[in-house]
Amino acid sequence: NLPLFYRLLGAKVGAEAKISIDSKLSEFDLLTIGPNVALDNCSLRPFSMNTNNCFTLRKIYIGENSSVCAKSVMAGGARLSAGTNIGPLSSSHELHDARSENRLACRTLRPEPPFWLQAMCGWPVLLLQKIVSLTPVLLLMQHMTTMSWYDGKLISIQDGLEYISTPERMLYYISFMITRK
């Protein structure tokens, strides 16, 4: 239960608040989250630097029945009145753009798909995505194992290190790192 976790860290979290696990909250004692608030992959940062190159810590207050959508940032000193709905990719400096329709874009308020649909459709797609993302690395490994760079026997640890660190292999190791990014 994420709201309980944040309460234990010092934040004031109202009843029925929904907080995404991807939300980035900090300085919990400076956060007040009202009842029935939805936070979806947003940032609540009471810490900031002012124009004098000094840091400031200011409270953030989010009133009841409000929502903060994905990739939105609430800066220190932000005060959202009740029913304020911040849209995606927005900030507390753009409160004039808040509309009630933005609440529909908040993913934490949407119900999850049924378990059977996740198991039959979602998980296979995620598994296929993972396999496809590993394909370049696996092809590079297969190609590297067909090369004959080292003909000696692996008797000692030094032989093993020489085998791994041959200059020809270094290009493959660099390629592994590039393809994994």
Side-chain angles (χ1 to χ4, degrees):
N1 190 330
L2 215 48
L4 174 63
F5 174 71
Y6 287 124
R7 282 185 196 110
L8 292 173
L9 289 174
K12 296 178 187 85
V13 182
E16 301 298 320
K18 292 183 168 86
I19 303 172
S20 168
I21 196 154
D22 299 317
S23 293
K24 296 161 196 72
L25 281 62
S26 64
E27 288 84 33
F28 309 103
D29 55 328
L30 297 174
L31 300 178
T32 302
I33 301 168
N36 202 25
V37 166
L39 302 177
D40 175 22
N41 192 11
C42 60
S43 294
L44 273 61
R45 301 287 183 188
F47 173 83
S48 64
M49 296 292 288
N50 63 18
T51 55
N52 297 330
N53 292 331
C54 297
F55 72 89
T56 59
L57 292 168
R58 298 172 59 199
K59 292 184 178 185
I60 295 177
Y61 173 81
I62 301 177
E64 63 182 82
N65 297 319
S66 296
S67 65
V68 182
C69 290
K71 306 292 184 189
S72 294
V73 178
M74 298 294 106
R79 185 166 186 80
L80 276 64
S81 57
T84 305
N85 299 296
I86 303 294
L89 296 167
S90 191
S91 77
S92 56
H93 300 290
E94 300 169 335
L95 293 179
H96 59 278
D97 292 335
R99 294 188 305 266
S100 59
E101 298 87 41
N102 290 338
R103 193 163 178 89
L104 298 173
C106 194
R107 295 176 297 184
T108 54
L109 296 173
R110 297 179 190 162
E112 280 194 24
F115 179 77
W116 68 268
L117 189 59
Q118 291 179 28
M120 297 297 287
C121 295
W123 296 343
V125 168
L126 291 175
L127 179 64
L128 182 65
Q129 176 190 1
K130 186 66 171 177
I131 291 170
V132 168
S133 72
L134 290 174
T135 302
V137 173
L138 295 174
L139 289 173
L140 276 171
M141 287 175 118
Q142 190 273 335
H143 188 269
M144 185 174 78
T145 56
T146 60
M147 298 294 154
S148 58
W149 293 312
Y150 186 79
D151 297 329
K153 297 188 185 221
L154 298 175
I155 298 171
S156 66
I157 293 176
Q158 182 178 355
D159 292 336
L161 290 174
E162 285 177 14
Y163 174 75
I164 290 172
S165 63
T166 55
E168 293 86 0
R169 286 185 187 269
M170 290 302 142
L171 290 174
Y172 282 95
Y173 295 141
I174 293 168
S175 299
F176 289 151
M177 288 186 266
I178 292 171
T179 57
R180 290 298 297 150
K181 297 260 178 195

